[in-house]
Amino acid sequence: MSSQLALSILSVAEFVLWVGLGFLFWKKGLATRFPAMASYLALHVVATPLLLILLYIQSLPSGHSYFGAYFFSYWAVYIASAVLLFFICMEVFRSALSSFPGLMKIGVVVFRWAIVVSIIVALSSASFMHRGILMIPDIAFSLMRSVSVLELCLLAFLCLSMNALRLSIRDLAFGIALGFGLMSANDFVSSSLMSAHSSLTAPLQVVYESLVLISILMWGAYSMLPQQSRKPVVMPVSSTVYRWNEIASALGHTGTQVAAGASQQLLPHRR
């Protein structure tokens, strides 16, 4: 079997799996818990056949006039996917910390700033070698590279703090992070190997597509598991996580207010 035929079969299988995963997400009501993930699945289900049709038309001898339509559609979907991935990371982070409302409140603020900084760093450090509309792929690659690093950092955070956060390995939030972490590692490794060994581009593309299918199948398996909404967990008072959660919950709360008068007498200390 040629590499081109294998890629075609894997592409069709990927679309079928996207459709199946989207249907499973809708049937199980998971879109309520992860709306950004549901939008990401809907984007792939709708955009994949449209892009394949435009690509086929553009490849015909008389289809050169459709190159612009395919170019802008492809990169619009690519950039939309990168933006949705930022929101998905936020959803996974919120879900992982949902049992600790204080930590979640502070953590979400820090996480948002981390996203903003990563986007700024990625766009400012990118080498824009093209001008005009050819800058669109450079911007898209920079955004996707930024979110890929964020996905790997999120997966590392969940793996290191699973016990402290009482997060089960069967939880869908961890499954989503694990799948995107695998995809991100796949992107980095494949791009590095393809640039270093151009003769292996076709076999590496087959491996790359196979790992994407494994990630989708993994999400399907996690989606079929019984999901329960996370509730506040019971922890000992001496727990470090409990103390940090209490401190974070107290931040931003307005304390007792006193009126400052003209007297210079010191007010009694309040415990």
Side-chain angles (χ1 to χ4, degrees):
M1 181 185 298
S2 64
S3 299
Q4 189 62 35
L5 178 59
L7 283 174
S8 300
I9 295 175
L10 291 175
S11 298
V12 174
E14 180 183 350
F15 172 68
V16 173
L17 289 179
W18 282 124
V19 173
L21 180 59
F23 175 76
L24 187 60
F25 232 69
W26 170 77
K27 184 178 180 180
K28 300 276 288 187
L30 299 175
T32 304
R33 183 182 176 190
F34 298 102
M37 183 65 181
S39 300
Y40 181 82
L41 297 177
L43 177 65
H44 276 275
V45 171
V46 174
T48 300
L50 294 178
L51 290 176
L52 289 176
I53 293 173
L54 287 175
L55 179 62
Y56 173 75
I57 296 175
Q58 186 263 331
S59 64
L60 296 176
S62 59
H64 297 292
S65 58
Y66 289 89
F67 172 78
Y70 176 76
F71 177 86
F72 287 109
S73 299
Y74 177 84
W75 291 113
V77 172
Y78 193 90
I79 293 175
S81 298
V83 173
L84 285 174
L85 286 173
F86 282 110
F87 287 100
I88 292 173
C89 289
M90 179 65 70
E91 286 182 348
V92 172
F93 187 76
R94 283 178 178 271
S95 180
L97 292 176
S98 60
S99 298
F100 304 90
L103 291 176
M104 183 177 68
K105 180 181 65 176
I106 302 299
V108 165
V109 175
V110 176
F111 198 82
R112 286 173 179 171
W113 278 107
I115 291 176
V116 173
V117 171
S118 64
I119 293 176
I120 294 175
V121 171
L123 294 179
S124 60
S125 61
S127 56
F128 297 104
M129 298 179 294
H130 306 95
R131 293 294 180 267
I133 63 172
L134 295 180
M135 288 183 61
I136 297 178
D138 294 336
I139 296 174
F141 282 133
S142 299
L143 285 175
M144 190 60 74
R145 189 181 305 113
S146 175
V147 75
S148 296
V149 173
L150 189 66
E151 289 167 349
L152 291 174
C153 292
L154 177 61
L155 178 59
F157 167 76
L158 294 182
C159 291
L160 293 175
S161 59
M162 286 184 66
N163 291 332
L165 298 178
R166 301 296 193 270
L167 181 67
S168 172
I169 196 174
R170 296 164 57 90
D171 194 277
L172 181 57
F174 179 78
I176 293 176
L178 182 60
F180 281 120
L182 177 60
M183 283 188 174
S184 299
N186 189 23
D187 287 339
F188 285 122
V189 174
S190 298
S191 59
S192 300
L193 292 178
M194 287 180 186
S195 59
H197 306 281
S198 57
S199 59
L200 299 177
T201 298
L204 288 174
Q205 286 179 341
V206 174
V207 175
Y208 174 87
E209 191 67 26
S210 300
L211 290 176
V212 172
L213 296 182
I214 291 175
S215 298
I216 302 175
L217 288 172
M218 184 188 307
W219 288 331
Y222 268 92
S223 299
M224 288 186 291
L225 293 176
Q227 300 294 324
Q228 296 180 351
S229 59
R230 301 192 68 202
K231 301 178 181 179
V233 296
V234 178
M235 303 187 69
V237 180
S238 59
S239 172
T240 304
V241 176
Y242 171 79
R243 292 178 180 178
W244 278 108
N245 183 65
E246 291 299 305
I247 294 173
S249 299
L251 293 177
H253 287 189
T254 305
T256 304
Q257 298 181 356
V258 296
S263 174
Q264 298 298 322
Q265 183 179 359
L266 294 176
L267 295 175
H269 178 68
R270 298 181 62 89
R271 293 182 62 85

